[in-house]
Amino acid sequence: MTESASGLADSFWDNFIDQSWLDRHQEDVLEPQLPIVDPHHHLWAIPRPDYQTPQLLADLGAGHNVVATVYLETLAYYRESGPEHLRPVGETAYVTAAAEAVAAIPGAPAVAAGIIGQADLARGAAVQEVLEAHIEAGRGRFKGVRANLFHDAQVEFGYPGPPPGLSRQKTFREGFARLAPLELVCDVMAFHTNQVEIAVLAAAFPDTTLIVNHLGAPIGRSPYAEQPGEVFALWQKNMRLLAEQPNVMLKIGGLGGPFFGVLLPHHLRERPVPIGSEELAGLYRPWFDVAIDLFGPDRCMFESNFPADKYDCSYVVLWNAFKRLAEGFSPEEKTALFSATASHTYSL
C-alpha cells in the first residue's frame, strides 16, 4: 500500500466517484435560469480520481446555470524543480492554462475565474516573492491563498495538517500581513474546534478578507460523531464569534464526503440509491439557518466542494438542495447566496 501526497493511501481513492451509483437517482433541475458562481471546487489527478476540466464541465453543464467558478488549491501540480518555496506556483500556472483552454470553448462557463493557491505564510515577509509569482502566473485569475489551519488531536484525519497555534506565530502573521496590500484574500480551512483562532486572526487583520470554508467544518468523525449536540453547540458559539468580524465571509457546503463532515454518521454512500435534494436540504437546514441568521446572505455563498462532495451526491442534487434551502428568500438574497457574494468577495 502506497500513500499519495495527501497522506491518504492510494487505495482510498479507488472508486471514490461511483458515477453508475450516482446515476441511480435523477432529479429535474430547480430554477434552471438562476445564475450560479461556484466558489469552491478542485481539479484532481492520479492517484486521486481523474477530475479535470472535462469532468468538471460535465457537472457544470448538467442543468444548473453555472456562469463562473473559483478553484481552490489541492497540493498538486507543483513545479518539480526550482526553489522549494516557489513550487506551489506551478499549481496556479497549471490551472490558469486549463482555464484559458476552457475559455476558448464557445458558451463555456468561466472556469477558474478565480484561483486560490498555496503559499507558506509562515515564511513571513519572504512570502511576498511567492505571492507575486502566483499573481504573475495567474494572469488576472489569482485571488489569494488558502490557510490550512485545521487541527484536532482527537481526530484521525488521514491528511497532513498544520501544527496547533500556527496562526498565532509571529512569522505567520508577518506573511499574512502581505495579503491585503496585494489585494489578496485568504480562504481558511479550520475545524469547528479551531474557529476561535480564526476569529482572533480576523480581528487582528480587519483589512484582510477571510473566507471560512465548509460552514466552519463541524467534525463528524469519532469521537465527535457520538456527540452531535455538543458539536452543534460549540460550532454555533464559535460561528457567532466569527460573525462579529465583518471581514469574515462564509461558504455554505462541504458537509458531505468521506473526510470529516457531520454527514458522515448518515452513511450516505452506503445507500442503494443516492440521497435526493429534499432530504439533503433537511440535513443542511440546522447549519444553514444558524449561518444565515449570524452572517446574512450578503456574507454567505453556496459552494460545491466538488469533486470531494461528489462522493455521496451529484452536482444536480447538491445545488437543488441549496435552492430548496433558499426557498422563500427574496430575489436579491438569492442572488447574493448563489453568485453576488462570491463575485464580490473574489473580485471576479
Side-chain angles (χ1 to χ4, degrees):
M1 180 181 296
T2 60
E3 288 192 352
S4 64
S6 67
L8 297 166
D10 291 353
S11 60
F12 170 85
W13 303 106
D14 292 346
N15 207 36
F16 183 98
I17 297 173
D18 187 344
Q19 191 63 52
S20 62
W21 175 74
L22 291 170
D23 289 343
R24 294 178 188 174
H25 178 85
Q26 301 290 328
E27 293 186 10
D28 292 334
V29 172
L30 302 176
E31 298 183 77
Q33 300 307 312
L34 180 65
I36 293 172
V37 173
D38 184 347
H40 196 115
H41 74 84
H42 311 283
L43 297 178
W44 281 357
I46 303 298
R48 297 179 182 186
D50 187 25
Y51 194 85
Q52 294 292 311
T53 51
Q55 291 80 11
L56 174 66
L57 288 173
D59 283 330
L60 301 184
H64 292 289
N65 183 23
V66 181
V67 297
T69 76
V70 176
Y71 171 89
L72 266 286
E73 61 88 26
T74 186
L75 301 175
Y77 318 114
Y78 285 12
R79 293 173 177 171
E80 295 182 358
S81 61
E84 191 73 29
H85 63 285
L86 289 173
R87 292 188 182 185
V89 177
E91 182 170 18
T92 295
Y94 178 91
V95 176
T96 296
E100 290 175 348
V102 171
I105 303 173
V111 165
I115 295 172
I116 297 297
Q118 182 55 245
D120 183 5
L121 296 175
R123 286 179 55 81
V127 80
Q128 179 91 11
E129 178 190 11
V130 185
L131 298 176
E132 291 177 350
H134 274 298
I135 292 170
E136 181 179 1
R139 295 196 279 270
R141 297 175 184 270
F142 186 74
K143 305 299 180 180
V145 300
R146 177 153 67 164
N148 288 309
L149 299 172
F150 58 89
H151 57 86
D152 194 296
Q154 298 187 76
V155 176
E156 180 61 38
F157 188 45
Y159 201 89
L166 177 61
S167 69
R168 296 190 294 269
Q169 292 182 7
K170 182 175 181 289
T171 54
F172 178 92
R173 292 196 166 201
E174 287 175 351
F176 196 89
R178 296 287 168 152
L179 296 174
L182 294 171
E183 299 183 339
L184 299 177
V185 303
C186 184
D187 267 71
V188 177
M189 176 56 201
F191 294 141
H192 77 282
T193 51
N194 312 140
Q195 297 301 342
V196 173
E197 299 172 34
I198 309 310
V200 170
L201 181 65
F205 294 90
D207 295 330
T208 304
T209 298
L210 287 79
I211 306 102
V212 171
N213 294 178
H214 311 333
L215 273 165
I219 305 173
R221 301 191 76 85
S222 182
Y224 296 101
E226 293 77 47
Q227 307 164 12
E230 291 87 340
V231 168
F232 190 84
L234 179 59
W235 170 82
Q236 186 172 15
K237 177 183 177 181
N238 288 348
M239 296 304 285
R240 185 170 289 110
L241 293 175
L242 285 174
E244 291 173 357
Q245 306 305 321
N247 54 326
V248 175
M249 316 296 281
L250 182 66
K251 287 180 175 177
I252 296 176
L255 298 186
F259 299 105
F260 64 86
V262 291
L263 299 190
L264 280 172
H266 294 275
H267 303 289
L268 301 183
R269 182 61 179 264
E270 298 173 19
R271 299 183 177 195
V273 176
I275 192 170
S277 64
E278 188 170 0
E279 184 183 0
L280 185 59
L283 295 179
Y284 263 93
R285 175 67 68 180
W287 314 91
F288 173 78
D289 286 348
V290 170
I292 292 298
D293 182 58
L294 292 175
F295 286 86
D298 288 342
R299 293 171 62 193
C300 291
M301 60 190 94
F302 288 120
E303 54 154 340
S304 74
N305 192 34
F306 261 46
D309 280 31
K310 193 172 184 177
Y311 181 80
D312 42 32
C313 78
S314 71
Y315 202 80
V316 166
V317 165
L318 183 64
W319 285 98
N320 272 353
F322 293 156
K323 289 175 179 179
R324 291 183 186 277
L325 289 171
E327 285 178 357
F329 282 54
S330 71
E332 293 77 15
E333 290 170 330
K334 283 187 178 181
T335 296
L337 286 165
F338 286 95
S339 60
T341 300
S343 294
H344 174 73
T345 299
Y346 291 108
S347 302
L348 301 184

